[in-house]
């Protein structure tokens, strides 16, 4: 009996031991998991992650738009103009139908939802001025479309043939200027003198003198100017600024900015509208401010739709693309106007009659800050070089190569000869092969941005911004910032002071290229030497 | 005489064979468990990146999942908790035949959503060189072996369920 019971106990004990035989392995797993978590936590603490993630993203989406209802006019309802007006809440019926259908066919196409979830900016589009009848009609159409974040529009827009007529309308509070660059300064000056607030597309001006004229007119009248660098609304740039302000890159002596495009679109060889002719386009008004004039012809039509290719109407890479990268850097590092600028390049690929270079480089010198900024652009290679802020302790890589989750992200890599991180590198806490910080907004959110055009801008952070993980169009935020500043009497993010810095820097680079000499900025006499 | 174990109605195996199978079960369990836990503790993890890179016959389904936030959330939960629970079951030897089936289904999905077939190129970098056969496929069939030759009623918590709670029928 007792033998039987001891055998039973033995069997039972053996059952237990065999049943629980692998539990110690699970314990071993847990111990290792705990050790790994501890090691990761220590590593993270020693890296930048805690430093930068502790801070909340800026909360910009608070509704400040409930004050005065504002009436706005658009001057230049072309490709960019229509995007800006959409940012204010008005899209053509054609666009909303297209975007809606695109989303029905492909769930990943989010343009419609992004547009419809924009804040109602409490404004009306009441005036449209465009020299091309087709575009003017589209602008009027946008003002009448019931489909939009603000619902049924209060007012419909009126067509104006000339901006001076529009500025005489006392009901208009503010104007958006998206004409070619050679018209910017005249319209800005006329507008602020007529008491209108201004949103002006980049580049602010075509020449140095125009930059002075615009700055003085805006300052004298006290009107609110917002320059169209929507990168100012991109959260990643604020994060990048935080990191640099904390000195995590160490001393920075060199910054490299790049533009890399390789398509007809990217080189401004845009379609000539099939309905464009001498009756539908006011060519004489178009070319009025340009130094050289030609009669209406097929060449004129080319210039009308591809104006970025000629110095008569714009500044080529300078105002169109360098201005973006410069302004991003100015936002992150507060560069201001350089002491010297020298530029070089040529028309090496697009020998299509243009007079602006398609390969172009600028060197900006900031001796007071011990810094050089290099800008290098090509319109015949997509090799995405990214923008690099190179410090003694670490390098920050934005856009392009950074590929940190794609949209508007950046990464920071420690330098193996860093002084600040030496100890951590020696201890193996920092491995210089891997980024010490990766910023990829919206990494959990996926969108179907697939076209080359969209991808280009998305990588630069120009199409989408993220606020608390929600995707928003920075152009919308930028327009909102402008309208809210008008209501509050405050200064918007890309106000006249930083706009002036952009304009003068671009003008210095353009002048250097055109004259083949180094250009110096004299801040006392406000002139170029 | 060398001790033998009845691991199913037809098969008797010796100690070495039993331990070999148990070790296989435990290390696959460890792998699957950590795959789950690693995703669980990473707040930025999402199945979206994997799904977006899907090729072959299920790529349409993958894109449909990604474009629907509710489906994506479900996919994330199923992955994280599926892997964690299956891994735990294999390691501890509890309900391990069901865990084998679950693991085979889940890993088959990984295989089918992005199989290393000729002519399919993937965006994410691979950690090895594969032609049709990859580690997922091998793990699927290793789980199949564990399903055919169960060991948890010999070494594992299933033994207790069987002897104490008479769960014999379902194990």
């Amino acid at each position: 009996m007792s033998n039987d019971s001891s055998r039973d106990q033995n069997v039972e004990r053996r059952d237990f031991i065999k049943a629980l035989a692998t539990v110690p392995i699970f314990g071993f797993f847990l111990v290792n998991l705990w050790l790994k978590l501890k090691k990761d936590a220590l590593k993270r603490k020693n890296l930048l992650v805690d430093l930068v993630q502790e801070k909340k993203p800026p909360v910009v989406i608070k509704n400040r738009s409930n004050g005065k209802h504002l009436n706005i006019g658009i001057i230049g309802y072309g490709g960019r103009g229509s995007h800006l007006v959409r940012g204010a809440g008005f899209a053509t019926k054609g666009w909303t139908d297209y975007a809606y259908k695109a989303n029905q066919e492909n769930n990943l196409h989010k343009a419609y939802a992004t547009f419809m979830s924009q804040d109602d900016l409490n404004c009306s589009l009441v005036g449209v001025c465009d020299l091309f009848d087709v575009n003017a009609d589209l602008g009027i159409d946008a003002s009448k479309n019931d489909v939009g974040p603000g619902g049924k529009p209060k007012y419909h827009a009126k067509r104006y043939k000339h901006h001076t007529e529009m500025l005489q309308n006392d009901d208009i509070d503010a104007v958006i200027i998206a004409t070619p660059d050679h018209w910017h300064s005249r319209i800005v000056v006329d507008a602020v003198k007529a008491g209108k607030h201004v949103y002006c597309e980049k580049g602010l001006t075509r020449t140095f003198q125009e930059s002075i004229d615009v700055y003085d007119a805006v300052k004298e009248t006290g009107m609110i100017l917002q320059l169209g660098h929507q990168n100012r609304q991109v959260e990643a740039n604020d994060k990048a600024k935080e990191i640099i302000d904390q000195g995590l890159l160490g001393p920075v002596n060199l910054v490299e900015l790049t533009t890399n495009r390789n398509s007809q679109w990217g080189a401004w060889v845009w379609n000539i509208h099939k309905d464009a002719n001498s009756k539908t386009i006011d060519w004489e008004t178009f070319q009025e401010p340009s130094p050289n004039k030609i009669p209406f012809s097929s060449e004129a039509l080319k210039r009308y739709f591809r104006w970025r290719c000629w110095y008569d109407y714009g500044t080529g890479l300078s105002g169109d693309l360098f201005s973006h990268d410069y302004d991003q850097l100015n936002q992150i590092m507060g560069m201001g106007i350089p002491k010297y600028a020298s530029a070089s390049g040529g028309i090496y690929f697009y020998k299509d009659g243009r007079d602006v270079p398609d390969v172009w480089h600028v060197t900006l010198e900031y001796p007071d800050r011990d810094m050089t900024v290099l800008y290098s652009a090509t319109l015949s290679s997509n090799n995405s070089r990214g923008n690099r802020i190179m410090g003694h302790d670490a390098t920050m890589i934005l856009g392009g190569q950074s590929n940190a989750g794609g949209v508007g992200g950046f990464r920071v890599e420690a330098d193996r000869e860093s002084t600040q991180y030496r100890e951590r590198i020696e201890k193996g806490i920092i491995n210089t092969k891997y980024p010490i910080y990766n910023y990829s907004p919206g990494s959990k959110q996926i969108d179907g941005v697939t076209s080359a055009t969209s991808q280009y801008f998305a990588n630069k952070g120009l199409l989408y911004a993220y606020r608390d993980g929600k995707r928003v169009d920075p152009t919308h935020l930028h327009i909102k910032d402008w309208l809210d500043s008008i209501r509050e009497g405050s200064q918007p993010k890309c106000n006249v002071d930083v706009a002036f810095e952009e304009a003068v820097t671009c003008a210095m680079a353009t002048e250097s290229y055109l004259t083949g000499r180094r250009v110096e900025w004299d801040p006392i006499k406000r002139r170029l030497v | 005489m060398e001790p033998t174990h009845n691991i199913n109605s037809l098969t008797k195996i010796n100690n070495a064979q039993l331990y070999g199978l148990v070790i296989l079960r435990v290390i696959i369990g460890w792998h699957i468990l950590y795959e789950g836990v690693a995703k669980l503790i990473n707040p930025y993890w999402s199945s979206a990146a994997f799904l977006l890179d899907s090729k072959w016959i299920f790529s349409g389904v993958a894109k449909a999942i990604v474009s629907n936030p509710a489906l994506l959330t479900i996919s994330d939960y199923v992955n994280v908790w599926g892997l964690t629970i299956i891994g735990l079951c294999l390691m501890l030897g509890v309900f391990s035949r069901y865990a084998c089936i679950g693991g085979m289904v889940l890993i088959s999905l990984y295989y089918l959503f992005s199989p290393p077939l000729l002519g399919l190129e993937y965006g994410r970098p691979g950690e090895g060189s594969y032609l049709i056969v990859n580690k997922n496929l091998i793990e699927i069939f290793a789980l199949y072996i564990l399903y055919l030759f169960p060991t948890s009623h010999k070494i594992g918590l299933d033994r207790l369920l069987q002897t104490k709670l008479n769960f014999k029928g379902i194990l």
Side-chain angles (χ1 to χ4, degrees):
Chain A
M1 189 72 190
S2 70
N3 266 355
D4 277 358
S5 107
S6 92
R7 198 180 308 131
D8 278 355
Q9 277 182 354
N10 273 341
V11 168
E12 202 154 291
R13 192 179 310 133
R14 211 166 54 226
D15 272 346
F16 265 104
I17 290 172
K18 290 194 169 178
L20 301 176
T22 57
V23 172
I25 301 175
F26 180 57
F28 184 59
F29 176 89
L30 289 179
V31 169
N32 276 281
L33 182 66
W34 181 71
L35 287 174
K36 175 152 174 50
L37 291 178
K38 217 172 93 172
K39 204 176 159 211
D40 287 353
L42 180 75
K43 210 166 175 178
R44 209 171 291 126
K45 206 172 148 194
N46 276 289
L47 296 183
L48 308 176
V49 179
D50 279 354
L51 275 171
V52 260
Q53 282 192 342
E54 267 171 352
K55 302 198 173 163
K56 291 245 170 192
V59 182
V60 174
I61 309 185
K62 57 173 178 172
N63 202 354
R64 299 187 289 161
S65 305
N66 45 10
K68 185 180 183 267
H69 183 86
L70 294 171
N71 289 327
I72 58 174
I74 172 76
I75 302 170
Y77 190 83
R80 187 60 196 155
S82 60
H83 191 176
L84 292 170
V85 168
R86 214 155 57 229
F90 308 95
T92 61
K93 183 88 176 49
W95 189 88
T96 49
D97 285 353
Y98 145 79
Y100 182 79
K101 221 178 124 208
N103 177 258
Q104 295 289 304
E105 284 165 8
N106 175 8
N107 254 330
L108 294 175
H109 198 290
K110 296 276 205 297
Y112 184 78
T114 304
F115 172 64
M116 293 303 283
S117 63
Q118 282 181 189
D119 280 351
D120 174 4
L121 296 188
N122 190 18
C123 64
S124 294
L125 177 63
V126 298
V128 175
C129 177
D130 200 288
L131 300 179
F132 180 31
D133 292 344
V134 173
N135 282 350
D137 290 345
L138 285 173
I140 303 286
D141 181 58
S143 78
K144 293 177 177 169
N145 191 356
D146 289 348
V147 182
K152 203 173 159 61
K154 269 191 180 171
Y155 308 106
H156 294 172
K158 183 186 163 198
R159 162 100 194 255
Y160 295 92
K161 292 270 186 191
H162 202 276
H163 77 271
T164 48
E165 290 169 31
M166 182 192 271
L167 297 177
Q168 281 165 17
N169 182 347
D170 291 335
D171 291 337
I172 293 182
D173 302 293
V175 291
I176 297 173
I177 302 169
T179 63
D181 299 356
H182 66 310
W183 265 105
H184 284 180
S185 64
R186 268 174 68 175
I187 302 176
V188 173
V189 171
D190 290 348
V192 295
K193 284 187 175 162
K196 317 290 184 203
H197 302 286
V198 170
Y199 180 109
C200 185
E201 246 323 301
K202 55 82 207 172
L204 182 62
T205 56
R206 202 184 66 87
T207 66
F208 173 72
Q209 188 52 47
E210 289 175 0
S211 315
I212 299 282
D213 296 345
V214 164
Y215 180 81
D216 289 347
V218 173
K219 284 286 178 185
E220 277 161 24
T221 57
M223 304 314 289
I224 306 290
L225 176 129
Q226 172 93 302
L227 181 63
H229 285 301
Q230 67 274 14
N231 55 275
R232 293 267 167 182
Q233 309 296 335
V234 174
E235 199 178 68
N237 294 328
D238 295 334
K239 282 278 174 202
K241 182 173 166 54
E242 260 176 42
I243 288 180
I244 292 176
D245 286 351
Q246 290 175 55
L248 297 176
L249 303 190
V252 174
N253 303 115
L254 180 61
V255 174
E256 203 174 70
L257 309 172
T258 69
T259 291
N260 316 281
R261 286 182 171 189
N262 196 12
S263 67
Q264 297 260 312
W265 168 83
W268 316 303
V269 185
W270 295 357
N271 288 338
I272 293 162
H273 198 284
K274 62 177 173 43
D275 296 329
N277 56 51
S278 60
K279 290 197 182 70
T280 56
I281 283 180
D282 181 355
W283 171 250
E284 287 313 319
T285 303
F286 177 86
Q287 67 170 345
E288 195 192 313
S290 64
N292 301 295
K293 308 219 175 3
I294 63 165
F296 187 83
S297 58
S298 61
E299 174 66 16
L301 274 181
K302 234 165 83 179
R303 289 173 173 236
Y304 188 89
F305 289 99
R306 300 170 185 170
W307 58 266
R308 286 170 175 83
C309 300
W310 287 273
Y311 276 117
D312 276 330
Y313 322 109
T315 56
L317 280 160
S318 181
D320 202 54
L321 295 171
F322 165 59
S323 61
H324 270 314
D325 294 289
Y326 164 80
D327 191 68
Q328 183 189 28
L329 183 65
N330 201 19
Q331 175 184 358
I332 295 173
M333 298 189 72
M335 299 307 299
I337 301 170
K339 176 86 175 145
Y340 306 108
S342 20
S344 66
I347 304 164
Y348 297 145
F349 191 85
Y350 285 96
K351 298 181 188 293
D352 55 2
R354 67 181 62 198
D355 64 7
V356 301
D358 52 16
V359 174
W360 191 68
H361 321 284
V362 189
T363 311
L364 306 175
E365 296 296 347
Y366 293 85
D368 295 347
R369 296 185 60 164
D370 297 323
M371 258 178 85
T372 295
V373 176
L374 290 178
Y375 170 76
S376 170
T378 172
L379 299 182
S380 59
S381 169
N382 258 331
N383 184 359
S384 181
R385 293 171 291 173
N387 289 349
R388 289 165 182 265
I389 301 174
M390 292 177 252
H392 167 70
D393 294 309
T395 293
M396 177 182 283
I397 301 151
L398 302 113
Q401 276 190 354
S402 77
N403 202 19
V407 185
F410 64 84
R411 63 187 153 97
V412 178
E413 289 173 358
D415 194 290
R416 64 192 154 83
E417 303 292 345
S418 155
T419 311
Q420 191 179 151
Y421 303 124
R422 179 175 297 151
E423 208 178 307
R424 289 174 211 182
I425 292 169
E426 280 167 4
K427 280 189 186 160
I429 293 168
I430 288 179
N431 182 343
T432 54
K433 278 191 200 149
Y434 302 106
I436 52 176
Y437 183 72
N438 239 323
Y439 182 79
S440 42
S443 59
K444 277 203 127 177
Q445 207 176 354
I446 299 300
D447 56 63
V449 180
T450 46
S451 81
T453 312
S454 305
Q455 202 75 59
Y456 173 82
F457 279 123
N459 275 334
K460 291 260 177 191
L462 299 178
L463 270 189
Y464 303 111
Y466 287 87
R467 289 285 181 267
D468 291 334
K470 181 189 163 217
R471 194 176 85 172
V472 281
D473 182 348
T475 294
H476 163 65
L477 294 178
H478 208 44
I479 295 270
K480 178 176 162 56
D481 177 35
W482 172 57
L483 294 176
D484 290 342
S485 299
I486 292 171
R487 290 193 182 97
E488 294 175 349
S490 59
Q491 283 298 322
K493 289 195 169 180
C494 204
N495 57 51
V496 67
D497 292 305
V498 284
F500 181 67
E501 291 168 357
E502 181 255 53
V504 173
T505 306
C506 290
M508 287 168 74
T510 303
E511 176 138 337
S512 169
Y513 174 75
L514 291 173
T515 59
R517 64 178 183 86
R518 186 170 85 158
V519 172
E520 184 181 344
W521 163 240
D522 176 352
I524 310 294
K525 293 185 178 153
R526 290 204 310 170
R527 57 173 193 167
L528 299 186
V529 189
Chain B
M1 199 182 100
E2 199 187 352
T4 56
H5 310 271
N6 293 310
I7 56 165
N8 58 33
S9 56
L10 298 172
T11 316
K12 276 187 176 53
I13 59 173
N14 64 24
N15 269 342
Q17 289 165 329
L18 177 67
Y19 297 148
L21 286 168
V22 170
I23 290 170
L24 181 63
R25 193 190 82 212
V26 170
I27 60 172
I28 290 182
W30 182 299
H31 171 229
I32 294 179
L33 174 60
Y34 187 65
E35 281 283 7
V37 171
K39 293 171 176 62
L40 189 65
I41 58 182
N42 176 2
Y44 300 105
W45 180 83
S46 159
S47 56
F50 171 81
L51 290 169
L52 267 188
D53 204 20
S54 172
K55 300 278 151 65
W56 210 43
I57 51 173
F58 285 117
S59 61
V61 180
K63 289 195 173 67
I65 295 172
V66 174
S67 61
N68 182 327
L71 284 180
L72 188 60
T73 308
I74 292 170
S75 157
D76 287 355
Y77 270 97
V78 168
N79 272 293
V80 170
W81 289 107
L83 289 167
T84 305
I85 291 164
I86 290 166
L88 209 54
C89 287
L90 289 172
M91 187 183 273
L92 296 177
V94 58
F95 301 120
S96 41
R97 293 195 85 189
Y98 298 96
C100 286
I101 297 170
M104 283 166 69
V105 170
L106 210 51
I107 300 172
S108 297
L109 288 176
Y110 301 151
Y111 182 82
L112 292 171
F113 273 78
S114 61
L117 304 183
L118 274 179
L120 299 183
E121 301 275 341
Y122 294 94
R124 62 186 182 321
E127 24 89 70
S129 310
Y130 305 113
L131 181 66
I132 301 175
V133 175
N134 64 7
K135 289 178 190 170
N136 282 340
L137 199 60
I138 295 168
E139 205 162 29
I140 293 165
F141 283 94
L143 283 168
Y144 184 54
I145 297 298
L146 291 174
Y147 172 77
L148 294 178
F149 302 100
T151 54
S152 55
H153 62 294
K154 294 290 170 196
I155 295 180
L157 290 174
D158 280 342
R159 185 185 181 106
L160 279 187
L161 295 182
Q162 197 181 50
T163 56
K164 299 285 161 197
L165 302 171
N166 270 331
F167 267 29
K168 205 171 242 164
I170 61 160
L171 298 172

